[in-house]
Amino acid sequence: GGIGRAVVDALLQAGTHARVVAVSRGPRPAELTDARLRWETCDHSEPSIEAIVARLLAAGLPVDRIVISTGMLHKDALQPEKAIERLEREHFMEVLSVNTVLPALWLSALAGLLRRSGEVAVAVLSARVGSIADNALGGWYSYRASKAALNMVLKTASIEFARRAPGTRLIAFHPGTTDTGLSRPFQSRVPPEKLFTPAFVAGRLLALMDSRRGEREVAFVDWDGKPVPW
């Protein structure tokens, strides 16, 4: 996606990593010729996820940052539900699958790698609308529910990793409204200064991952580093 690609670009441009591993549904773009980039294609099934992690373990690659940037808000004619009567089982389950289950499956598959690593920052794209305390507008049922559930997965995983992978730091990251396909149908009322480029968001995310070194409590924070209420 837009933010995931921007993170890859930012890491390659920074030149601080000997290897950058990108995981995507699609093939490697022709313009990405950097020899430090390893491209893995994944169909989001559990065998595909587990196979990728197994290859990383076999390669013995040291890991210090992981960004999980999967997300779904709308699809074709299906839009966020403004009223509860708009709920549809199939759409609801698909949003939950992409926004909650898929990141959880990645964390599950990565657990062994995290146990073998030192300090690792793991950032997962959450959203402010997933905050139960900050919900004053209502609507967007499936998206809100999926992100609230994702936050619970991260909170619960942080408790387990404190025992089993103590070098792991989990971050639930709210990127703000980013100019990607996910937010494009909803940008008309967003002030220009609040519509961020993927490159800006990627830079903020990577800086945030660096700034929280040594912290053990899972953080739910926005692009400006400010806490978001759970």
Side-chain angles (χ1 to χ4, degrees):
I3 293 176
R5 168 63 190 271
V7 168
V8 171
D9 290 342
L11 288 172
L12 292 174
Q13 291 166 13
T16 53
H17 288 71
R19 178 75 67 179
V20 176
V21 180
V23 179
S24 175
R25 289 169 297 178
R28 179 173 178 154
E31 68 272 15
L32 290 180
T33 58
D34 196 306
R36 294 169 297 163
L37 178 63
R38 173 172 176 161
W39 193 272
E40 295 275 0
T41 303
C42 181
D43 64 6
H44 293 331
S45 67
E46 291 175 71
S48 180
I49 293 171
E50 291 166 359
I52 289 170
V53 175
R55 287 195 290 272
L56 295 179
L57 281 167
L61 294 175
V63 176
D64 68 349
R65 302 186 194 188
I66 297 172
V67 178
I68 300 175
S69 59
T70 56
M72 176 184 176
L73 175 58
H74 57 88
K75 179 182 178 181
D76 303 326
L78 297 173
Q79 298 295 318
E81 311 92 349
K82 294 183 179 179
I84 198 165
E85 292 91 344
R86 303 285 297 180
L87 286 175
E88 296 181 15
R89 180 191 296 268
E90 184 176 349
H91 178 61
F92 202 147
M93 297 304 294
E94 186 171 6
V95 172
L96 283 169
S97 177
V98 173
N99 292 346
T100 308
V101 178
L102 185 56
L105 290 175
W106 272 106
L107 289 175
S108 173
L110 288 164
L113 181 63
L114 294 173
R115 287 197 300 272
R116 291 166 175 78
S117 303
E119 292 281 333
V120 185
V122 182
V124 184
L125 293 191
S126 184
R128 188 181 299 276
V129 296
S131 167
I132 294 175
D134 193 33
N135 183 1
L137 297 176
W140 290 35
Y141 283 88
S142 57
Y143 190 71
R144 285 185 186 274
S146 68
K147 293 297 186 179
L150 171 64
N151 290 346
M152 180 58 83
V153 168
L154 297 176
K155 173 64 177 179
T156 306
S158 74
I159 296 170
E160 181 176 353
F161 289 159
R163 301 189 304 267
R164 302 179 62 209
T168 301
R169 306 185 315 281
L170 289 172
I171 301 171
F173 180 68
H174 168 61
T177 304
T178 310
D179 189 12
T180 65
L182 184 142
S183 70
R184 204 148 288 144
F186 315 100
Q187 294 177 5
S188 60
R189 297 184 180 180
V190 179
E193 69 275 11
K194 291 295 185 180
L195 180 61
F196 304 136
T197 65
F200 172 82
V201 171
R204 286 299 184 116
L205 173 56
L206 293 173
L208 180 67
M209 295 173 82
D210 279 341
S211 71
R212 305 193 75 89
R213 289 187 183 278
E215 296 187 13
R216 292 294 171 260
E217 184 69 22
V218 62
F220 184 16
V221 291
D222 69 8
W223 59 272
D224 203 23
K226 296 178 180 178
V228 180
W230 296 94

